[in-house]
């Protein structure tokens, strides 16, 4: 059976119209329980594919406004690229010839309110995100994370721990991992090794064999981080937090019918 993702229009005016035309969810009823967070597709160009938690390719074109949940993977082809918004306020861009799995994404419920995302300086509720970057590169910009939140990205040679920053994490065809940090800092722990703090304006290379080399940030990558995060945050910034909250409800339902560990009470439907 074909599976289609629930979608939200990402322009501010259309999102406002959407909120006026559909029932409003009550985010307070579930208390402080954590359920699946949402990943909203902000833009997609070229070949961008979604893979469900069972490893099946999702049919159809992945369009802006599609909602993903934990357990899903995204894969881009040559020339493919996808900008994403996580419901905790993080934006990310999956670059060409890349693959990332949303291994887990749990987030406490929150009241959406009328604020736009650009007006929010920190995540709306505590969250735990774990991504697995299998190949290619991912450019990320986060909101300020709560002290009890966690955000990690696994690579073939180690784990990046994020607290609130802008960076790019990439894996070369030869298996080398490259981390470049343009704002704040990222802690990288090589497999079997000790954490290395990569601060603003610095970079890190880790060979397939685990050899660590610290260096200045790659100037070309620094520009790429700035450009990609600017584009993604400009799109995301116009989205009302109430729409983000509705997307989270959709993701909880999607995770439920997909068989991932988060629970939900309603089925995914086309918009």
């Amino acid at each position: 059976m074909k599976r289609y993702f629930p979608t939200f229009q990402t322009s501010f005016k259309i999102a406002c119209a959407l909120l006026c035309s559909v029932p409003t969810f009550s985010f307070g009823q579930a208390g402080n329980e954590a359920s699946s967070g949402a990943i909203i597709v902000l833009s997609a160009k070229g070949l961008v594919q979604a893979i469900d938690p069972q490893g099946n390719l999702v049919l159809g074109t992945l369009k802006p406004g599609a909602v993903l949940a934990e357990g899903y993977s995204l894969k881009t082809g040559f020339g493919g690229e996808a900008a994403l918004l996580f419901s905790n306020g993080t934006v990310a861009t999956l670059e060409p010839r890349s693959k990332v799995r949303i291994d887990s994404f749990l987030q406490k419920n929150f009241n959406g309110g009328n604020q736009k995302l650009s007006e929010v300086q920190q995540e709306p509720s505590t969250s735990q995100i774990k991504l697995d970057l299998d190949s290619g590169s991912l450019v990320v910009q986060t909101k300020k994370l709560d002290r009890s939140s966690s955000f990690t990205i696994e690579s073939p040679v180690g784990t990046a721990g994020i607290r609130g920053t802008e960076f790019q994490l990439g894996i070369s065809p030869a298996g080398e991992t490259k981390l470049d940090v343009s704002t704040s800092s990222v802690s990288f722990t090589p497999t079997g090794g000790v954490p290395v703090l990569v601060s603003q304006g610095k970079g890190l290379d880790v060979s397939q064999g685990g050899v660590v080399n610290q260096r200045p940030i790659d100037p070309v990558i620094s520009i790429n981080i700035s450009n990609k995060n600017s584009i993604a945050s400009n799109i995301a910034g116009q989205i009302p937090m109430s729409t983000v909250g509705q997307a989270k409800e959709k993701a909880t339902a999607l995770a439920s019918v997909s068989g991932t560990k988060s629970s939900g009470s309603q089925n995914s439907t086309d918009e």
Side-chain angles (χ1 to χ4, degrees):
M1 184 178 69
K2 292 183 179 180
R3 173 174 289 157
Y4 297 95
F5 293 113
T7 61
F8 282 95
Q9 298 294 333
T10 54
S11 74
F12 178 61
K13 290 182 179 179
I14 297 178
C16 287
L18 171 67
L19 293 176
C20 294
S21 63
V22 299
T24 301
F25 292 106
S26 175
F27 299 112
Q29 291 181 349
N32 288 325
E33 294 181 1
S35 57
S36 181
I39 301 91
I40 304 170
V41 178
L42 297 173
S43 65
K45 66 179 183 180
L47 180 62
V48 180
Q49 298 174 309
I51 301 167
D52 71 18
Q54 288 72 44
N56 302 309
L57 185 66
V58 178
L59 300 179
T61 303
L62 195 64
K63 298 179 180 180
V67 176
L68 303 172
E70 60 178 3
Y72 279 79
S73 298
L74 276 176
K75 183 178 181 180
T76 57
F78 184 81
E81 185 175 277
L84 312 169
L85 168 64
F86 291 73
S87 54
N88 74 339
T90 294
V91 292
T93 301
L94 188 65
E95 301 212 286
R97 301 177 70 177
S98 301
K99 182 180 179 182
V100 65
R101 183 175 189 272
I102 307 155
D103 193 58
S104 62
F105 181 14
L106 293 175
Q107 183 181 7
K108 288 188 176 181
N109 297 316
F110 59 89
N111 292 312
N114 295 320
Q115 282 185 304
K116 292 187 294 184
L117 189 66
S118 60
E119 299 170 333
V120 177
Q121 301 303 313
Q122 60 185 40
E123 62 175 347
S125 62
T126 57
S127 61
Q128 286 74 45
I129 300 176
K130 181 181 178 183
L131 306 180
D132 189 345
L133 184 61
D134 182 70
S135 59
S137 61
L138 188 69
V139 182
V140 178
Q141 179 184 58
T142 71
K143 297 288 187 181
K144 182 179 180 181
L145 302 182
D146 188 88
R147 288 186 177 183
S148 59
S149 296
S150 65
F151 184 6
T152 60
I153 305 177
E154 299 283 343
S155 79
V157 295
T159 304
I162 298 99
R163 294 303 310 167
T165 183
E166 293 187 64
F167 66 94
Q168 177 172 314
L169 184 66
I171 302 168
S172 73
E176 180 183 62
T177 293
K178 294 173 64 68
L179 172 63
D180 289 87
V181 180
S182 62
T183 303
S184 192
S185 61
V186 174
S187 176
F188 189 88
T189 305
T191 304
V194 296
V196 178
L197 187 66
V198 184
S199 57
Q200 181 173 323
K202 302 293 183 181
L204 184 75
D205 297 328
V206 185
S207 71
Q208 195 171 22
V211 178
V212 176
N213 175 48
Q214 298 187 59
R215 54 170 173 77
I217 190 172
D218 185 317
V220 175
I221 292 179
S222 178
I223 294 172
N224 187 60
I225 294 171
S226 178
N227 290 342
K228 295 298 171 62
N229 283 339
S230 177
I231 292 170
S233 60
N234 283 342
I235 300 172
Q238 298 302 308
I239 302 176
M241 287 303 299
S242 53
T243 300
V244 178
Q246 288 189 24
K248 186 178 181 303
E249 291 282 335
K250 295 278 187 177
T252 297
L254 181 61
S256 177
V257 299
S258 299
T260 54
K261 56 180 175 290
S262 294
S263 61
S265 58
Q266 61 184 71
N267 292 329
S268 303
T269 57
D270 288 335
E271 289 288 342

